[in-house]
């Protein structure tokens, strides 16, 4: 096992000389073996070694027993142990998620905090057997290539040096080195799905191929590498198709099917926080070819019009109540945040308006049919409708464009810019109107 | 089931109006349902419908029963049935392969012959359940992405319109339409691995997700699409790195890891008929970076030298016995075939030599240390060694380059071309020396 540990550490470049490492310690065989191995290479790599035990409080006395076990084990090794208590049962109930998922979230939150605090990597004791279980679990529940990748050996600050060792190898290591460990009594009962896979499916597959865990590991590695490549190529395709108001369908559709599908899935997540299934992806590709719209969530639709794919906020309340222009006006509308700030830049900015309008009757609102816009340089006045038309602003966008106006005189219009009337004389009397998406990544 | 059949046919564009289709008929539920469905859409698609039954002769009377059943079934439908008998047991023994694999080979050979004879597609009755079994089978035995693709809905002349239907749906269809079918008694016993998966693993996974077969199908589809993309990009990378004597390591290594690995695997297959495992691929990538050689088979090695990756014939007999230049000289050496032909082209050809040397003392051999080469235009004479050096011919290649010489005067040298002495006056007295690889694809 020790050799595999070292090989994995080197293969994935997991450790640098002088690293700080926190071992995630449950007290079970895997994490005890992990701690022992780290302890044995501590000097070779000049490591600062810590451990962390998260007590989920789910198993009463047994939870306490495990915590105590971890404490005395770390004392024996002379390794500083951090202990965290969380009431996972209560938290899971509150967040309406399974205790298993909640426990996982809690652990990784603790890991992240501690990792930042100590500038350390966190080593978890996941094994090739865990990977094989996760692989089958994901496939059964309906995974695509990403799910086949199963458990990555390295993810950010997380390292998993036991990922190439099987559970059997670890138990043998513990027995050879006389390492004591605790056994989680719920392991055999609590999670029906995972235990079904562990106790029924995997033994059957190991009868066919005793090295099944290795096969699963190689497959996950292969899938991860390909996913990674696919992700690079998808990002490239997305950025090539990005245009003013969305994504150019023709450009995106010129890619290979595998890339188109992946790009649509990525865009759904990125632009609408929506995890698209195969059928959504097919529907969206269909509208990219033929035009139309697909409802994704209560909030968002995918719309394809004039050859552009957009993710639009499908809130029915398209009317923005009038909001006065003040020094620190800030409001949210249709998934975007509008902020008024002092403009400190010297550059002329199409989103900067004259500060003289502050605290006067200038208001933010959506457009009205009699709105008039005067081009700032040409000084020609036209109905705003015509201006938007000339600028090819998509029709859904027009309904949701915010304007700053005094009566029907437009000072500024989202996506169009500042008018002759709204223009600031110089940078000293300029207010910048900042528009940003309220969702991450948008 | 019928709807899924039609949807699959349309999704994969399986049928054109007026197609000829041969249904592969075992007599089991799947193939009986397939035949019945094809019969019901025969007119809609204007199909010429046939069936084929391959009797493997493995189950004595039961084999005969199945054949008779298929005969009377096809009579009932008025469909012409082709019956083929093969002694699979004997053939498997002779070829030292399993009866299962041998049976498969025999069936597909029959399908291919009949498909050509009738200019017809062959429809096999593979189901979503078969796909799920194959998927798990491949994963267990150690597949990469290609194995996850499992059973393709279309492969050349083969179409599989039931691939989206589960076995349960097909049995229901047979029962609803009162279709009789035979049951293969060995199905429950003969192939240990597949039956283990069918009877132990899949039922357990279906307890977790009753739509497991659909999950498997979607995953296979996803993997197939990505494999296809990967294959396109790999071909591109290979052709970009192709250079005179092999593949430019620097160019190949500039690709993403997923592409490099796939390219090495493809090159091993294409250039050395070798199915590389992960460890071979890693070794070859290592020599691409640092130089060196990897033995692949008894015949072939991968060699990386001067930044070029080559697959070289590693036969120890590097000495070619002298072979006289005659009208139809043909010989094999180090994996290549050398043929002398009348040159009918008018173009000057660097591999065409003067026919006056026919039946004189000109011989094919490998090079000798005192060989001299005279450049055909510049008329400068140099040791062949120096000429090869100037042309940057890799050292392993030099030992295996065939020359045509009179004493130590080179008339022609492989990879270098014809010398001043060997040049033909005109196309009428030219002999072309044709060099081709003796293995397919090389």
């Amino acid at each position: 096992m020790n050799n595999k540990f070292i090989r994995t550490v080197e293969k994935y470049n997991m450790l640098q000389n002088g690293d700080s490492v926190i071992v995630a310690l449950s007290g079970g065989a895997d994490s005890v073996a992990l701690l022992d191995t780290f302890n044995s290479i501590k000097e070779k790599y000049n490591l600062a070694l810590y451990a962390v035990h998260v007590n989920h409080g789910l198993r009463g006395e047994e939870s306490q027993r495990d915590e105590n076990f971890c404490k005395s084990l770390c004392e024996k090794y002379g390794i500083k142990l951090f202990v965290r208590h969380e009431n996972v049962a209560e938290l899971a109930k509150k967040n309406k998620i399974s205790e298993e998922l909640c426990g996982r979230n809690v652990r990784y939150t603790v890991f992240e905090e501690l990792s930042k605090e100590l500038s350390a990597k966190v080593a978890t004791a996941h094994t090739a057997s865990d990977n094989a279980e996760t692989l089958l679990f994901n496939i059964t529940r309906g995974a695509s290539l990403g799910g086949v990748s199963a458990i990555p050996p390295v993810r950010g600050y997380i390292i998993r040096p036991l990922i190439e060792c099987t559970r059997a190898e670890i138990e043998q290591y513990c027995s050879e080195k006389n390492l004591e460990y605790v056994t989680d009594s719920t392991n055999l009962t609590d999670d029906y799905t995972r235990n079904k896979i562990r106790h029924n499916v995997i033994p059957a597959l190991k009868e066919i191929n005793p090295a099944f865990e290795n096969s699963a590991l190689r497959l996950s590695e292969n899938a991860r590498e390909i996913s990674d490549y696919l992700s690079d190529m998808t990002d490239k395709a997305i950025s090539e198709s990005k245009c003013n108001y969305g994504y150019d369908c023709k450009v995106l559709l010129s890619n290979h099917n595998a890339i188109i599908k992946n790009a649509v899935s990525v865009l759904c997540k990125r632009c609408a926080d929506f995890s698209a299934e195969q059928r959504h992806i097919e529907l969206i590709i269909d509208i990219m070819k033929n035009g139309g719209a697909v409802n994704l969530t209560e909030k968002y639709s995918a719309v394809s019009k004039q050859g552009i794919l957009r993710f639009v906020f499908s809130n029915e309340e398209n009317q923005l109540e009038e909001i006065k222009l003040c020094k620190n006006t800030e409001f949210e509308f249709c998934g975007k945040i509008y902020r008024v700030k002092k403009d400190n830049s010297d550059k002329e900015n199409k989103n900067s308006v004259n500060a003289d309008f502050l605290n006067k009757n200038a208001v933010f609102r959506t457009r009205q049919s009699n709105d008039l816009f005067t081009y700032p340089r040409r000084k020609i006045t036209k109905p705003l409708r015509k201006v938007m038309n000339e600028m090819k602003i998509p029709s859904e966008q027009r309904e949701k464009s915010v304007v700053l106006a005094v009566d029907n005189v437009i000072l500024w219009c989202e996506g169009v810019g500042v008018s002759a009337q709204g223009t600031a004389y110089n940078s000293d009397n300029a207010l910048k109107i900042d528009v940003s998406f309220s969702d991450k990544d948008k």
Side-chain angles (χ1 to χ4, degrees), chain A:
Chain A
M1 194 207 83
N2 227 324
N3 288 342
K4 274 202 185 172
F5 177 98
I6 297 290
R7 222 187 306 142
T8 308
V9 161
E10 286 175 358
K11 180 173 171 189
Y12 294 102
N13 205 14
M14 287 176 174
L15 291 178
Q16 261 65 52
N17 193 52
D19 267 349
S20 296
V21 176
I22 308 159
V23 173
L25 188 66
S26 68
D30 299 346
S31 66
V32 167
L34 182 67
L35 189 72
D36 185 76
T37 316
F38 262 111
N39 192 58
S40 71
I41 61 150
K42 193 165 65 171
E43 272 153 38
K44 183 182 167 199
Y45 282 93
N46 188 25
L47 302 178
L49 205 55
Y50 308 92
V52 56
H53 178 78
V54 183
N55 185 333
H56 295 182
L58 285 171
R59 289 168 293 125
E61 276 182 26
E62 196 177 294
S63 290
Q64 195 52 51
R65 174 204 68 180
D66 294 357
E67 183 183 322
N68 296 341
F69 173 82
C70 291
K71 278 179 181 163
S72 64
L73 186 68
C74 287
E75 260 171 41
K76 216 180 74 189
Y77 284 117
I79 290 172
K80 182 171 168 59
L81 173 73
F82 297 86
V83 176
R84 295 282 187 271
H85 289 100
E86 298 286 347
N87 191 332
V88 168
E90 203 172 89
L91 209 60
K93 215 170 170 180
K94 194 177 132 198
N95 294 332
K96 289 174 186 148
I97 53 176
S98 73
E99 287 185 351
E100 214 212 356
L101 179 60
C102 182
R104 192 185 178 284
N105 291 346
V106 158
R107 283 196 301 282
Y108 280 87
T109 307
V110 169
F111 295 166
E112 195 176 346
E113 283 169 7
L114 214 52
S115 159
K116 280 185 186 157
E117 205 177 305
L118 301 173
S119 303
K121 291 171 178 171
V122 175
T124 69
H126 289 98
T127 62
S129 306
D130 293 318
N131 183 74
E133 283 167 22
T134 300
L135 173 68
L136 289 171
F137 181 81
N138 290 351
I139 289 177
T140 307
R141 305 264 276 228
S144 58
L145 190 65
V148 177
S149 306
I151 304 176
V154 176
R155 184 171 57 79
Y157 62 91
I158 303 278
I159 57 173
R160 296 170 170 131
L162 297 185
I163 198 68
E164 312 236 327
C165 305
T166 62
R167 193 161 293 135
E169 285 170 322
I170 285 165
E171 279 165 12
Q172 200 195 333
Y173 178 85
C174 288
S175 125
E176 278 169 10
K177 296 203 68 180
N178 275 320
L179 300 178
E180 281 177 30
Y181 53 86
V182 293
T183 307
D184 184 339
S185 66
T186 62
N187 237 358
L188 304 165
T189 54
D190 68 344
D191 178 16
Y192 175 78
T193 305
R194 198 166 267 279
N195 281 313
K196 188 99 201 160
I197 289 174
R198 183 177 301 173
H199 299 300
N200 297 66
V201 178
I202 291 189
L205 297 179
K206 286 185 77 165
E207 280 177 38
I208 297 168
N209 178 11
F212 167 66
E213 284 123 327
N214 281 327
S215 295
L217 204 64
R218 293 289 89 77
L219 175 61
S220 292
E221 202 177 321
N222 185 242
R224 206 173 306 120
E225 211 147 51
I226 293 168
S227 279
D228 182 59
Y229 172 64
L230 210 62
S231 160
D232 282 5
M233 293 299 108
T234 302
D235 283 347
K236 190 165 160 268
I238 288 176
S239 84
E240 280 169 358
S241 71
K242 181 87 192 80
C243 58
N244 261 344
Y245 294 101
Y247 302 89
D248 187 308
C249 295
K250 209 172 144 191
V251 175
L252 203 49
L253 288 170
S254 72
N255 289 285
H256 189 281
N257 246 339
I259 295 293
I260 300 170
K261 288 186 174 174
N262 206 38
V264 168
S265 158
V266 167
L267 287 176
C268 282
K269 192 75 200 156
R270 202 182 280 174
C271 302
D273 198 19
F274 176 69
S275 300
E277 287 171 27
Q278 199 55 33
R279 63 196 171 90
H280 300 116
I281 294 174
E282 276 160 17
L283 283 171
I284 295 174
I285 292 176
D286 188 59
I287 65 163
M288 284 166 70
K289 289 176 181 159
N290 307 309
V294 178
N295 287 331
L296 302 179
T297 62
E298 274 184 28
K299 276 186 168 182
Y300 284 101
S301 301
V303 174
S304 165
K305 218 167 174 178
Q306 297 158 300
I308 308 290
L309 176 70
R310 288 184 302 277
F311 293 83
V312 302
F313 202 79
S314 49
N315 195 327
E316 282 181 13
E317 286 184 46
N318 270 343
Q319 286 296 324
L320 174 65
E321 287 210 30
E322 292 191 352
I323 291 169
K324 272 194 93 168
L325 174 69
C326 298
K327 208 173 158 190
N328 291 311
T329 301
E330 179 172 329
F331 60 95
E332 200 174 340
F333 177 61
C334 284
K336 286 186 271 187
I337 295 169
Y338 299 77
R339 279 191 194 90
V340 175
K341 293 176 184 172
K342 178 89 187 68
D343 188 358
N344 293 316
S345 95
D346 273 343
K347 282 194 225 142
E348 208 174 309
N349 188 314
K350 75 184 194 86
N351 291 316
S352 287
V353 295
N354 195 322
D356 292 352
F357 288 99
L358 272 178
N359 304 318
K360 304 217 168 132
N361 52 350
V363 292
F364 287 103
R365 56 166 172 79
T366 41
R367 75 183 173 126
Q368 291 167 1
S369 57
N370 62 343
D371 281 344
L372 293 172
F373 185 87
T374 309
Y375 283 96
R377 285 171 210 278
R378 292 190 282 155
K379 301 277 181 339
I380 301 167
T381 301
K382 286 187 181 182
L384 181 59
R385 179 177 43 80
K386 283 203 174 176
V387 174
M388 285 180 151
N389 209 26
E390 282 168 11
M391 293 184 77
K392 294 194 182 357
I393 295 178
S395 53
E396 302 90 356
Q397 184 54 45
R398 296 182 197 183
E399 303 306 317
K400 291 166 192 167
S401 287
V402 168
V403 302
L404 178 67
V406 175
D407 300 325
N408 71 334
V409 176
I410 299 294
L411 304 177
W412 167 87
C413 172
E414 180 184 358
V416 175
V418 76
S419 70
Q421 295 87 344
T423 307
Y425 318 124
N426 56 50
S427 62
D428 282 345
N429 87 328
L431 291 174
K432 197 173 158 207
I433 303 166
D434 211 46
V435 184
S436 61
F437 289 93
S438 49
D439 286 304
K440 64 175 162 59
D441 256 323
K442 280 199 68 178

